[in-house]
Amino acid sequence: MSNDDWISRQSRKSLERLLPRMRAKLGPGDDALWETFEGRLNAHWDRLFRLLVQLYGWQYDFFFHLEQIMLMAVSAWGDRPDYLKAVDRDREENPQWFQSEQMTGGVLYVDLFSDKLAGLHEHIPYFKTLGLTYLHLMPLFAVPHGNNDGGYAVSDYRAINPDIGSIEELTALARILHNEGICLALDFVMNHTSDEHMWARQARAGNPDFQEYYLMFDDRGTVDQYQHHLRDIFPDIRRGSFTRDDQTGKWVWTTFNSFQWDLNYANPAVFRVMAEEMFFLANVGVQVLRLDAVAFIWKRMGTSCENLPEAHMLLQAFNALASIVAPSLLFKSEAIVHPDEVVRYIGKDECQLSYNPMLMALLWEALATRKVDLLTHAMRRRNRIDADCAWVNYLRCHDDIGWTFDDADALDLGIDPNGHRRFLNDFYTGNFPGSFATGMPFGYNPDTGDLRISGTLASLAGLEQALREKVPVLIEAAVQRINLLRSIMISAGGIPLIYIGDEWGMLNDYTYLSDPAKATDSRWVHRSRQRWQSRRDLTDPEALEWRFFNEIVKLIALRKQLPAMSNGAMEVIDTENPHLFGYIRAYGGQKLVIVNNFSEFLQTFPGAALNRAASDTRFIDRISGKPIPDGDNLVLGPYQFLWLECIPGSHS
Ligand code: GLC
Ligand code: GLC
């Protein structure tokens, strides 16, 4: 019997054995509930089983764990609220719903934005003015006091930080948002818990079952063997990936901060309890889960312990389980790694959505150099993903910017990759002569010279410096740069995600430096409590905040009128001008040629290049509403962008 026949047979047999036990878990009157569950089980069981066998089949008690996982899944399904079951059905019928040109995301910290969860719904009109259909709330769970890595050290996945609100409030908010056409996105901080999580406390107290939830070692020798191949994520805070726990005397694997204990996914009990936490969130009404730090979730001696095949299998197993219990739930991967590794997390059966860190980083690269060759080259080679999935395009998020591009792409263009990264770091920390940027260094590693960048969109794009120097032309240039980047975020293939604050041009906030829990982490410079009292400034439409706000509202509204903006595909074109980044968006019978000038000077887009992108057509620039004269070279102003709609066949 071939291996495949064998596993198919085992898969069927296991399902037969488990079916009655699962059925019994639901009440006798729940026939309809069971039928739906069984239908989805039949559709996804085989892939789930194969993944779990690969991950855990070698353990003598595998079948026990399998049963526990499936019984948990049935209970989660039984608990799923009716309105979410209806969402499940809708999304199963229209699995491409998130590809719509209507999709626009926003992300914010509840405490910084509205203090409390309870007050957040009052801002729904604001979200709707912006056009948001997706709202990501940064982690708001129970965390240790003081430094908790901005909420990424979770002590309890089922309790909200009491300073912010309660689970009941979150559940109510999810529903209200849903009724308003906004889906709730939340983090699933799956790589680690805080050292105050109940599991960690049990482990500390010596409970061996819970010690197996984490990666704890008695001897420094083993730790050193692992350590040899690992990179430091926060090198300026702490060297090495292990922390000695005083109470047990053991070394604990802590990839990030010492209070963030990595979970041991080689233990099937960890898979089960985390899946249970995942379904808890799904049943609260979370529709998009941002899977945090996915690159790190599996470890193997002798490797970098990043992006291992088992990390993908784990995500696929979570995906298969979600397809059975909560099929409307989308996964968004947060893998800020080499572009080719980022792409590997994206798939209908793994993560349907992913951040697009390469586009983000290279937009900043092009802004600094005024040249688009690396951006164009890399986007042509490395941006393609499965048509069933979508990029989430962003300019800033709560984290630092790292210069993630492929070294070979740079070398192809005669650029020395590491020298270029050094230049970009100098540029964005304002240390390069003539730089417009005001950014802060993050994560400096003295061994490698690596550095990443913190700062808000507006400060990095030059507004802070220009305002400080009070030079109107510099202010204007900064405004144009900000608008240029936002226009690309909104028009590139995928879902735009606004880091709330960037819609009105928030600047860096240095107050974190006086808070000991934050002072050593420069990412707080762009995690700010500054708020824009939009109503108060209403009388002054010339205020910069209003210009930024009105511009982004206009662009998002325009996006929503253009069918070509749906579906993630984008074809990067050769503009024959090193300062112009161009691409085609085409869908639903509409075609747009989008051209962006990354320099502060006039730039020509040759008529011939435009013709190659789209021939036999007239063009209307949807940004200005003006037709483009036939056949001519186009001249773009400083940092200007054009969204050219092709009007077919009507050459006059
Ligand atoms: C992710 C988060 C980042 C956090 C890290 C550890 O990268 O985006 O903010 O520090 O995970 O949870
Ligand atoms: C990890 C995360 C990345 C983040 C960094 C810490 O590399 O994957 O998102 O930027 O840690 O800030």
Side-chain angles (χ1 to χ4, degrees):
M1 199 186 295
S2 81
N3 203 23
D4 200 53
D5 292 343
W6 182 84
I7 194 123
S8 298
R9 228 168 66 80
Q10 299 307 320
S11 163
R12 270 197 312 277
K13 270 174 60 178
S14 298
L15 183 57
E16 277 163 27
R17 285 182 187 139
L18 288 171
L19 272 175
R21 304 184 203 178
M22 289 192 256
R23 177 64 190 91
K25 191 88 185 164
L26 287 178
D30 290 336
D31 284 346
L33 256 189
W34 173 251
E35 224 172 275
T36 314
F37 187 82
E38 197 181 11
R40 290 184 183 136
L41 194 58
N42 285 326
H44 302 285
W45 170 261
D46 195 57
R47 102 179 140 102
L48 175 64
F49 180 80
R50 284 164 189 263
L51 288 160
L52 293 177
V53 167
Q54 285 183 78
L55 288 164
Y56 305 117
W58 56 275
Q59 312 219 11
Y60 86 94
D61 56 353
F62 171 66
F63 191 79
F64 165 78
H65 287 290
L66 187 64
E67 177 173 351
Q68 295 296 305
I69 290 166
M70 295 320 294
L71 293 180
M72 176 279 296
V74 183
S75 299
W77 168 245
D79 292 344
R80 193 148 171 82
D82 285 337
Y83 92 92
L84 292 170
K85 289 184 179 137
V87 179
D88 290 338
R89 279 193 299 275
D90 285 355
R91 304 268 153 94
E92 275 181 323
E93 277 162 27
N94 179 19
Q96 303 292 306
W97 66 277
F98 57 84
Q99 304 272 13
S100 161
E101 72 284 0
Q102 304 300 314
M103 281 295 279
T104 303
V107 50
L108 57 84
Y109 285 91
V110 173
D111 53 339
L112 301 179
F113 183 82
S114 63
D115 291 318
K116 308 259 180 214
L117 260 180
L120 198 63
H121 66 271
E122 287 162 23
H123 298 271
I124 289 176
Y126 183 73
F127 302 145
K128 293 188 90 160
T129 308
L130 270 173
L132 303 191
T133 59
Y134 160 125
L135 183 66
H136 175 195
L137 304 181
M138 292 298 293
L140 32 72
F141 298 98
V143 286
H145 275 295
N147 188 357
N148 49 52
D149 194 21
Y152 283 97
V154 177
S155 301
D156 185 344
Y157 295 93
R158 301 187 186 206
I160 302 296
N161 178 345
D163 296 341
I164 299 179
S166 66
I167 278 288
E168 291 70 30
E169 284 164 353
L170 182 66
T171 310
L173 179 71
R175 180 116 195 218
I176 297 172
L177 287 171
H178 176 75
N179 291 340
E180 297 284 349
I182 300 174
C183 64
L184 176 64
L186 231 61
D187 278 85
F188 185 42
V189 187
M190 62 182 301
N191 179 67
H192 43 261
T193 71
S194 90
D195 60 355
E196 291 183 11
H197 193 286
M198 193 270 283
W199 305 332
R201 284 199 263 134
Q202 294 275 349
R204 262 204 177 122
N207 183 326
D209 288 342
F210 286 99
Q211 292 188 345
E212 285 167 8
Y213 274 36
Y214 299 95
L215 294 127
M216 301 178 85
F217 305 91
D218 289 316
D219 71 306
R220 182 70 218 189
T222 315
V223 165
D224 288 339
Q225 272 176 291
Y226 276 114
Q227 183 63 61
H228 189 65
H229 304 272
L230 306 179
R231 79 180 158 115
D232 285 354
I233 304 299
F234 297 144
D236 50 351
I237 293 175
R238 189 174 62 100
R239 304 311 301 269
S241 297
F242 297 86
T243 303
R244 194 177 150 92
D245 172 52
D246 290 339
Q247 216 165 313
T248 54
K250 290 179 192 285
W251 292 93
V252 187
W253 199 308
T254 54
T255 299
F256 294 89
N257 290 288
S258 52
F259 51 83
Q260 289 164 301
W261 287 19
D262 287 41
L263 285 162
N264 173 22
Y265 279 97
N267 177 356
V270 169
F271 178 84
R272 174 177 48 81
V273 293
M274 287 304 283
E276 201 171 349
E277 301 307 53
M278 173 174 89
F279 290 133
F280 177 81
L281 293 178
N283 286 349
V284 160
V286 179
Q287 299 189 15
V288 180
L289 273 187
R290 173 193 181 276
L291 305 186
D292 182 59
V294 290
F296 303 91
I297 56 181
W298 195 273
K299 335 283 190 199
R300 188 180 323 117
M301 177 77 82
T303 73
S304 69
C305 299
E306 290 186 44
N307 308 309
L308 292 178
E310 288 86 349
H312 293 282
M313 286 181 213
L314 264 173
L315 297 173
Q316 290 164 15
F318 280 119
N319 174 303
L321 211 48
S323 305
I324 297 168
V325 175
S328 59
L329 188 65
L330 291 181
F331 288 176
K332 176 170 100 165
S333 82
E334 190 252 347
I336 312 301
V337 287
H338 185 282
D340 295 346
E341 294 292 351
V342 173
V343 169
R344 293 199 179 102
Y345 291 92
I346 307 171
K348 176 166 76 47
D349 292 340
E350 194 165 332
C351 298
Q352 301 89 344
L353 306 177
S354 165
Y355 282 105
N356 192 346
M358 183 182 78
L359 175 62
M360 182 277 291
L362 290 180
L363 289 175
W364 288 106
E365 186 270 346
L367 205 67
T369 59
R370 280 78 163 171
K371 285 213 186 125
V372 304
D373 49 351
L374 187 55
L375 171 63
T376 300
H377 187 52
M379 287 294 285
R380 283 184 152 175
R381 294 183 73 173
R382 300 179 205 278
N383 195 56
R384 213 172 292 281
I385 54 172
D386 194 331
D388 294 330
C389 299
W391 286 116
V392 174
N393 294 320
Y394 66 115
L395 303 170
R396 293 301 297 112
C397 69
H398 67 289
D399 278 332
D400 44 287
I401 302 176
W403 303 112
T404 160
F405 54 79
D406 182 78
D407 287 4
D409 287 355
L411 290 168
D412 286 347
L413 303 168
I415 300 170
D416 161 33
N418 287 330
H420 199 50
R421 290 192 179 94
R422 274 197 302 280
F423 155 72
L424 291 167
N425 282 331
D426 286 346
F427 190 92
Y428 282 107
T429 49
N431 289 321
F432 190 83
S435 164
F436 49 72
T438 310
M440 303 280 288
F442 178 82
Y444 176 62
N445 185 329
D447 297 346
T448 58
D450 282 349
L451 181 69
R452 311 197 291 273
I453 299 293
S454 296
T456 66
L457 167 65
S459 290
L460 293 178
L463 189 62
E464 186 171 332
Q465 188 191 92
L467 289 174
R468 202 185 314 125
E469 294 174 6
K470 299 198 179 66
V471 182
V473 287
L474 297 185
I475 296 176
E476 209 43 43
V479 170
Q480 289 169 345
R481 281 186 214 105
I482 292 165
N483 285 336
L484 173 74
L485 289 195
R486 298 192 313 182
S487 155
I488 297 174
M489 169 179 81
I490 291 165
S491 61
I495 302 170
L497 177 61
I498 304 166
Y499 186 62
I500 292 296
D502 287 347
E503 75 282 17
W504 56 266
M506 178 174 76
L507 296 176
N508 284 350
D509 178 349
Y510 301 96
T511 53
Y512 78 98
L513 288 167
S514 53
D515 179 343
K518 297 179 176 166
T520 55
D521 186 337
S522 71
R523 291 175 297 174
W524 287 99
V525 84
H526 54 260
R527 301 171 179 174
S528 170
R529 189 174 281 282
Q530 302 170 67
R531 291 174 199 168
W532 173 44
Q533 299 298 345
S534 47
R535 264 155 296 191
R536 215 174 38 209
D537 294 333
L538 193 59
T539 47
D540 181 9
E542 287 306 304
L544 280 178
E545 288 88 344
W546 269 106
R547 287 181 58 194
F548 286 127
F549 184 75
N550 290 335
E551 174 78 10
I552 203 165
V553 165
K554 184 185 93 186
L555 289 178
I556 293 167
L558 183 56
R559 170 189 157 92
K560 295 190 181 204
Q561 290 165 24
L562 301 172
M565 292 291 180
S566 68
N567 174 286
M570 102 190 240
E571 182 192 337
V572 177
I573 59 170
D574 179 5
T575 61
E576 295 179 17
N577 180 322
H579 309 287
L580 298 181
F581 179 51
Y583 45 91
I584 297 174
R585 301 294 317 276
Y587 193 74
Q590 189 182 54
K591 179 165 172 174
L592 300 168
V593 181
I594 296 178
V595 198
N596 306 284
N597 180 4
F598 272 84
S599 94
E600 58 266 71
F601 301 107
L602 299 181
Q603 294 297 334
T604 303
F605 183 36
L610 180 55
N611 244 298
R612 237 193 339 274
S615 54
D616 286 333
T617 155
R618 289 184 304 121
F619 296 95
I620 293 182
D621 174 25
R622 296 298 305 254
I623 299 289
S624 62
K626 293 198 182 120
I628 297 296
D630 267 359
D632 292 356
N633 292 339
L634 280 181
V635 177
L636 280 83
Y639 298 116
Q640 192 184 353
F641 47 92
L642 301 171
W643 293 12
L644 303 175
E645 183 182 359
C646 306
I647 313 290
S650 35
H651 248 305
S652 51

